[in-house]
Amino acid sequence: MLASRSTLLATLVGLTVLAPVPAAQAATPDDDPPEAGETEAAEPEAPSSTRIACLDDTSEDGYQRKGVQKRDFLKRHRFEVGALGGFAASDLLSSSYTFGGALSFFLSEDFGLETLVTYQPVRFRIEDPFTAFDQRRHFTSGSALQAMGAVSFAPVHAKFKFTEATIVHGDLFLVAGAGRTFHDSVQGLSWQAGGGLRLYLARHLAFRLDVRDFILPQEVLGRGRITHNLTTIGGLGFWM
C-alpha cells in the first residue's frame, strides 16, 4: 500500500515539471525591457524642409551634401591681354604715373605665365637743390621702359555680392618674377613680387587691380643701392 502511494506521488511530480508554460506568461522579445547601458533605437529624423529649401541639390534623405561649386569662368589654356595704368612710388626717384600692357597665358586654373611691359617718366626728386647750388645738372630726367616676366598663382577663388541680384566671381592671385628696367640708373636685373585681384565682369572681360614691388639695383649721383618701387596698377583684361 505504501509503495503504491509513493509511485502515485512520483507520477504527479513528473507531470507538474513537464507541464507547458501558459501562453500569457511566455516572454516575447518585444516585451523585453532594455538592459543597463542599452538605449532604445530612435526613429529616423524626418527630412528638414529648411534644408531642402536652402539647397539647390540635396540627397535622397534631404540632407545637404556640401561641395565645391562650379566656376562660371575658366582660365585654363586661355590668353589674357591687359591694358593697365597706375601710380609708382620709389625709394630714390620721384613718384610718377605708369602705364602699359600685359599678356598672360594660363596653364591651369591656378598657374599662369605673364609678360608685363610698362612706361614710366623718371625724375630725381632732389635734383633741383643740387642744380640751384652749382647750376649744373647732375641727373638727367627721362623715362624708363620696363619688361618683366612673372609666374602667376591664383589659389583663392571668391564671389563678391554687389547687389541682391549681382554676384561677381573673382580670383586673388600672387605674382613673382624678374626682368629688365631700361634706364641709365638701373645697373642689373629687376625683380618683382606682389599680388592682386581679378573680377570677371563678362565672358571675355575682367577687371584687375595689382599691387607690386619692383626691386631695382640703382645708382644715382655715384651711389648705388637697392631700391623698392611700390606700384599700384589697375585696368581691364580681355580674354581670348
Side-chain angles (χ1 to χ4, degrees), residues 5-84:
R5 289 180 178 179
S6 299
T7 303
L8 178 60
L9 180 59
T11 303
L12 292 175
V13 171
L15 293 175
T16 304
V17 172
L18 297 176
V21 178
Q25 298 179 0
T28 60
D30 295 337
D31 297 335
D32 187 16
E35 298 181 359
E38 294 183 348
T39 58
E40 296 185 358
E43 295 183 359
E45 181 184 355
S48 171
S49 58
T50 304
R51 290 193 183 100
I52 297 177
C54 296
L55 299 173
D56 296 331
D57 185 15
T58 57
S59 62
E60 294 180 357
D61 58 2
Y63 285 89
Q64 181 178 5
R65 296 293 185 262
K66 293 185 179 180
V68 179
Q69 295 182 357
K70 294 182 179 180
R71 301 184 181 186
D72 62 350
F73 190 96
L74 299 179
K75 305 188 299 294
R76 182 174 180 266
H77 293 170
R78 298 181 68 181
F79 286 93
E80 180 194 25
V81 178
L84 306 171

Side-chain angles (χ1 to χ4, degrees), residues 86-89 98 120 146 210-214 229-233:
F87 185 79
T98 181
Q120 177 183 336
Q146 195 170 56
D210 299 22
V211 178
R212 307 191 186 195
D213 183 15
F214 294 97
N229 301 266
L230 190 62
T231 304
T232 301
I233 51 177

Side-chain angles (χ1 to χ4, degrees), residues 109-215:
E109 285 300 305
D110 296 334
F111 290 95
L113 303 176
E114 178 193 78
T115 300
L116 175 69
V117 178
T118 60
Y119 170 89
Q120 177 183 336
V122 175
R123 182 172 177 270
F124 189 35
R125 59 187 175 187
I126 59 174
E127 170 67 17
D128 292 340
F130 279 94
T131 303
F133 179 75
D134 58 7
Q135 300 300 314
R136 296 177 56 188
R137 302 294 301 182
H138 299 272
F139 183 88
T140 303
S141 301
S143 60
L145 185 65
Q146 195 170 56
M148 305 290 292
V151 175
S152 176
F153 175 48
V156 179
H157 179 77
K159 292 188 291 186
F160 301 88
K161 182 178 180 181
F162 291 95
T163 66
E164 290 296 329
T166 304
I167 297 178
V168 178
H169 289 244
D171 284 329
L172 300 177
F173 62 90
L174 302 173
V175 292
R180 289 300 303 266
T181 301
F182 299 97
H183 188 265
D184 293 340
S185 66
V186 181
Q187 303 301 311
L189 282 176
S190 303
W191 302 88
Q192 66 166 328
L197 166 68
R198 186 181 281 110
L199 297 177
Y200 303 110
L201 305 179
R203 182 176 178 83
H204 298 287
L205 181 66
F207 170 79
R208 57 183 291 179
L209 179 65
D210 299 22
V211 178
R212 307 191 186 195
D213 183 15
F214 294 97
I215 305 170

Side-chain angles (χ1 to χ4, degrees), residues 85-100:
F87 185 79
S90 174
D91 282 348
L92 185 61
L93 302 177
S94 300
S95 299
S96 177
Y97 64 89
T98 181
F99 63 89

